[in-house]
Amino acid sequence: MFSAIAGLLGFSVLSGLLVTVMVAPAVAVTGITASSAIGVFDSLPEYMVIGQQPERNEIWATYSGPGNVNGQKLIATIYDQNRQEVSYDAISAFAREAVVDGEDRRFFEHGGVDVSSVVRAGVGNALGTSASGASTLSMQLVKNIYVQQALQLPTEKDRQAAYDLATATTLDRKLKEMKLAIGLEKKYTKKEILTAYLNIAFFGDNTYGIQAAAQRYYSVDAKDLTLPQAASLIAIVQYPNVRGLFDPANYTANKDRRDVILDAMLDVGDITQKEHDEAIATPVDDTTLKPSTPANGCIGADPSATWFCDYVVKNVKNFAFLGDTEQQRADNWKKGGYKLYTTLDMDIQVNAQNQTWAYADNKATDLSLGSATVGIQPGTGRVLMMTENMVFNDTLSGGGPGTAAVNYSTSFSYGGSTGFQSGSTYKLFTLLNWLEAGKGLYARVSGDQRTENQAKFKNTCTDEGPFGGPYPFKNDSGGNPGAIDILAATAGSVNGAFISMGLQLDQCVTRHIAESLGVQRGDETHLQSNPSAILGTNEVTPLSMAGAYAAVAAGGKFCKPIIVDKVVLPDGTTQPGQAPDCQQAIPSDIAAAADYALAGVTNGGTGSGSNPDDGVPLIGKTGTTDSATDTWVITSTTSVTTAVWVGNSIGKVSLSSYDWQGIAGNLLRHEIMRNTVAVTNAKYGGGTFPDPPAALLSGSGINVPDVRGQTPEAAKALLEALGFTYLDGGPVDSEVPAGKVAGTDPAAGSQSGAGAVVTVFTSKGNKVALPDESGKTSADAHSDLAAKGFTNVSDSCVVLTSTTPGAPGSTPVPVAPTDPRIGTVQTMDPAAGTLMVPTSPVTLGIGKATCP
């Protein structure tokens, strides 16, 4: 009868009964009054909300291999408390019965407070014969909710104070638990309360809730717990530190309590005698436990996805689906219960990570070798790959050689990296500036290595410079190629040519183009626009460089990198993740022309070693810094853009002097890229890139004037007046008077862009017309040619045929011995009238009846 009173009496009446039972023994000792205790009871709210408890967050990635779950794979769990809330039906009946029979046998009968137990406890406490607190499961749930609220407070001081209050052995706390337990019973069903208790209970070793406990100690889900397993877990909840299964020293105490629970289950008829006896006979030791070490954090993530996991966690502050402010997002992530379905594709990520590990030794002793690979989807910005050669370890003690916590792919705020010099991969932005200025790919500039005055470079950025002084630079391959067109300069990554291009452009515009394509320095300061930046001295991130090249591959549309496709919220509803955030950063025709130039890099140019030659169109660019301390290659199909960096994470050791299993250090990037792209292409393929517009091949279309016969000085003045760059090509063989212009390259009438190099050749004046010696005897012809300076003359035999033809199909008629053509010149090579240098060879064909 007492068991039903709590659900029927009003709070005021019930408070009198409870206080009478619970307080009376204390009145004589402490002088506390019953009325004051009733005041405490009545001042409390009528109920509390169970609410969401801290849970595990899950990070998922696309995966089509064995064991995938609807095309996805769980790659990491992140939590403040190891808990996964489950429904009533997802909990073994053994566990539900064990907790009721062992902790609160009249749970389904009372209204939150078991009054008979309260009376018994009160009398026992008064007589000093019982230490029972008469706590029901509902009351224990209230206590646990208060404990959880305490653990979520911002400071350690606040947390400890609230925890002490929630667990204090005081009358006020007990009365509070009683009233709020009654309120819970009025607001929630018994199933909801029982489920909430099993989801909130602490099972030791930062393990909360029955599901996490089942996985932690038995490697099964809560619904699959056996009778002895369920009873052993419930045995923990009263004293987790003493009975927790994380410590073998606790096994005996756990079994003792487990057996008490099994006895109770038998006593109420929830299990049979046979089930009871078999469970009692089951030991609690290492033979029956099957523990699973909790894999919390990115250090416990899938080994191939740790760096991406770390990037996801560091982006929590940016996820709008977690809240409106950064603080709300951090708080909600800490509370947990989110399932993030990310953009990472494990079908290609695993191979990419393996290639990084295979060719970039994270324990190299010759240098601090680092490497990173990033893959991005053009047109969306979805990050498909992110690898590093170091093993992720963000513990305070670190993991020793071969481990790191710095993410080489990202900027400082998202992984601690300050970036790496981009080398010639940065030349893309000078190329884009060149094309946007209306200059063509067929235009020619000087490719020679030399020294230029920095003051000659235009730069309208007001936050840098002015720059001055000499700027010496060399070509990576050495030498001076002279005038070279932009296509060849891009394919060969000719430094001199890009400096020549830079001299015709505003360096501030080049910087703005790079910024519009998302390029970011690792230290998160603005990009530099000094002249040396043309050749790649900005210390950038692989992620941002991959994003920039992806934009060019997507027709000029830049999309900010995104990493979450969708999210399942703690309440089970699904929301979109990060929507693509794109803008047309450069015109599509400019992008098409750049693609055309970049195709030469991977097809015969410096990036050919990165091309798997699988038929999928591929563009790209290489980059090598001074002394090869950093090396890059970036490639793209229309489907996936991939950036690979291999270099010094610390120090400046030349990769050219480093060798890995017979492969030169500066070529390791190509091994990683080629093998990565091969697998990526097998899944994603790729289409053809659009053809470049004709106007961007020839440029602005200025015709090269005809300066043949002019003095070099006059030709130079005219060409420069038209906007061309004059280049002396030196003297050449020509019939034009010596010292005059013999010709140009490009030829007169050709279209070329303003600023393009026109090579001017001056005449040696040494070409004359070859005289016609036909019909003369060999001797007379030789004599005549020698008199005119042709000294390199020889004869060849020419068989004469009869001037009288025979019948059709008959044998040719031999010539008569008296034929006047015999012994005379019949042919000349070169032909008569050809302009040539007299010392060049001349062959006279002398007629004869037969030839040897």
Side-chain angles (χ1 to χ4, degrees), residues 60 195 203 365 494 566 624 647 677 748 756 809:
W60 293 74
T195 303
F203 290 86
T365 56
V494 180
K566 69 176 182 179
T624 305
V677 171

mmCIF file of all heavy atoms in Angstrom, residues 60 195 203 365 494 566 624 647 677 748 756 809:
data_model
loop_
_atom_site.group_PDB
_atom_site.id
_atom_site.type_symbol
_atom_site.label_atom_id
_atom_site.label_comp_id
_atom_site.label_asym_id
_atom_site.label_seq_id
_atom_site.Cartn_x
_atom_site.Cartn_y
_atom_site.Cartn_z
ATOM 1 N N TRP A 60 31.959 9.803 -40.193
ATOM 2 C CA TRP A 60 31.836 8.776 -41.212
ATOM 3 C C TRP A 60 32.437 9.250 -42.531
ATOM 4 O O TRP A 60 32.544 10.446 -42.779
ATOM 5 C CB TRP A 60 30.365 8.416 -41.433
ATOM 6 C CG TRP A 60 29.719 7.737 -40.255
ATOM 7 C CD1 TRP A 60 29.332 8.320 -39.076
ATOM 8 C CD2 TRP A 60 29.394 6.353 -40.142
ATOM 9 N NE1 TRP A 60 28.784 7.379 -38.234
ATOM 10 C CE2 TRP A 60 28.804 6.158 -38.858
ATOM 11 C CE3 TRP A 60 29.530 5.263 -40.983
ATOM 12 C CZ2 TRP A 60 28.363 4.917 -38.433
ATOM 13 C CZ3 TRP A 60 29.083 4.013 -40.556
ATOM 14 C CH2 TRP A 60 28.510 3.851 -39.294
ATOM 15 N N THR A 195 14.954 3.484 -19.325
ATOM 16 C CA THR A 195 15.896 3.666 -20.438
ATOM 17 C C THR A 195 16.859 4.805 -20.142
ATOM 18 O O THR A 195 18.076 4.689 -20.383
ATOM 19 C CB THR A 195 15.133 3.959 -21.744
ATOM 20 O OG1 THR A 195 14.209 2.896 -21.998
ATOM 21 C CG2 THR A 195 16.093 4.091 -22.924
ATOM 22 N N PHE A 203 29.682 3.437 -15.678
ATOM 23 C CA PHE A 203 30.179 2.072 -15.579
ATOM 24 C C PHE A 203 31.704 2.024 -15.440
ATOM 25 O O PHE A 203 32.318 1.001 -15.705
ATOM 26 C CB PHE A 203 29.750 1.267 -16.807
ATOM 27 C CG PHE A 203 28.268 0.987 -16.847
ATOM 28 C CD1 PHE A 203 27.385 1.903 -17.399
ATOM 29 C CD2 PHE A 203 27.763 -0.180 -16.314
ATOM 30 C CE1 PHE A 203 26.029 1.640 -17.433
ATOM 31 C CE2 PHE A 203 26.396 -0.451 -16.344
ATOM 32 C CZ PHE A 203 25.513 0.469 -16.909
ATOM 33 N N THR A 365 66.538 9.781 -41.479
ATOM 34 C CA THR A 365 67.568 10.351 -40.606
ATOM 35 C C THR A 365 68.360 11.456 -41.299
ATOM 36 O O THR A 365 69.014 12.257 -40.631
ATOM 37 C CB THR A 365 68.537 9.249 -40.146
ATOM 38 O OG1 THR A 365 69.097 8.605 -41.306
ATOM 39 C CG2 THR A 365 67.812 8.223 -39.299
ATOM 40 N N VAL A 494 60.017 27.482 -67.069
ATOM 41 C CA VAL A 494 61.193 28.313 -67.294
ATOM 42 C C VAL A 494 61.082 29.593 -66.462
ATOM 43 O O VAL A 494 60.232 30.455 -66.745
ATOM 44 C CB VAL A 494 61.362 28.637 -68.788
ATOM 45 C CG1 VAL A 494 62.598 29.506 -69.011
ATOM 46 C CG2 VAL A 494 61.449 27.343 -69.594
ATOM 47 N N LYS A 566 26.465 15.764 -44.816
ATOM 48 C CA LYS A 566 25.214 15.796 -44.053
ATOM 49 C C LYS A 566 25.521 15.451 -42.611
ATOM 50 O O LYS A 566 26.595 14.921 -42.287
ATOM 51 C CB LYS A 566 24.182 14.835 -44.629
ATOM 52 C CG LYS A 566 24.526 13.367 -44.459
ATOM 53 C CD LYS A 566 23.398 12.467 -44.967
ATOM 54 C CE LYS A 566 23.728 10.981 -44.754
ATOM 55 N NZ LYS A 566 22.636 10.097 -45.208
ATOM 56 N N THR A 624 59.524 23.480 -57.551
ATOM 57 C CA THR A 624 60.725 23.138 -56.796
ATOM 58 C C THR A 624 61.342 24.431 -56.280
ATOM 59 O O THR A 624 61.617 25.333 -57.065
ATOM 60 C CB THR A 624 61.748 22.388 -57.661
ATOM 61 O OG1 THR A 624 61.123 21.245 -58.244
ATOM 62 C CG2 THR A 624 62.944 21.947 -56.831
ATOM 63 N N GLY A 647 58.828 17.636 -48.778
ATOM 64 C CA GLY A 647 59.895 18.590 -48.463
ATOM 65 C C GLY A 647 60.354 18.498 -47.027
ATOM 66 O O GLY A 647 60.093 17.518 -46.319
ATOM 67 N N VAL A 677 46.919 9.143 -58.419
ATOM 68 C CA VAL A 677 45.998 9.520 -59.497
ATOM 69 C C VAL A 677 45.473 8.289 -60.233
ATOM 70 O O VAL A 677 44.319 8.254 -60.675
ATOM 71 C CB VAL A 677 46.688 10.490 -60.476
ATOM 72 C CG1 VAL A 677 45.839 10.716 -61.723
ATOM 73 C CG2 VAL A 677 46.956 11.822 -59.782
ATOM 74 N N ALA A 748 57.162 38.547 -90.139
ATOM 75 C CA ALA A 748 56.335 39.714 -90.456
ATOM 76 C C ALA A 748 54.924 39.273 -90.817
ATOM 77 O O ALA A 748 54.731 38.295 -91.538
ATOM 78 C CB ALA A 748 56.966 40.504 -91.595
ATOM 79 N N ALA A 756 55.228 40.912 -76.285
ATOM 80 C CA ALA A 756 55.892 39.680 -76.697
ATOM 81 C C ALA A 756 57.262 39.992 -77.288
ATOM 82 O O ALA A 756 57.498 41.064 -77.861
ATOM 83 C CB ALA A 756 55.044 38.942 -77.717
ATOM 84 N N GLY A 809 55.279 0.599 -123.629
ATOM 85 C CA GLY A 809 55.641 -0.651 -122.996
ATOM 86 C C GLY A 809 56.913 -1.257 -123.497
ATOM 87 O O GLY A 809 57.368 -2.284 -122.979
#
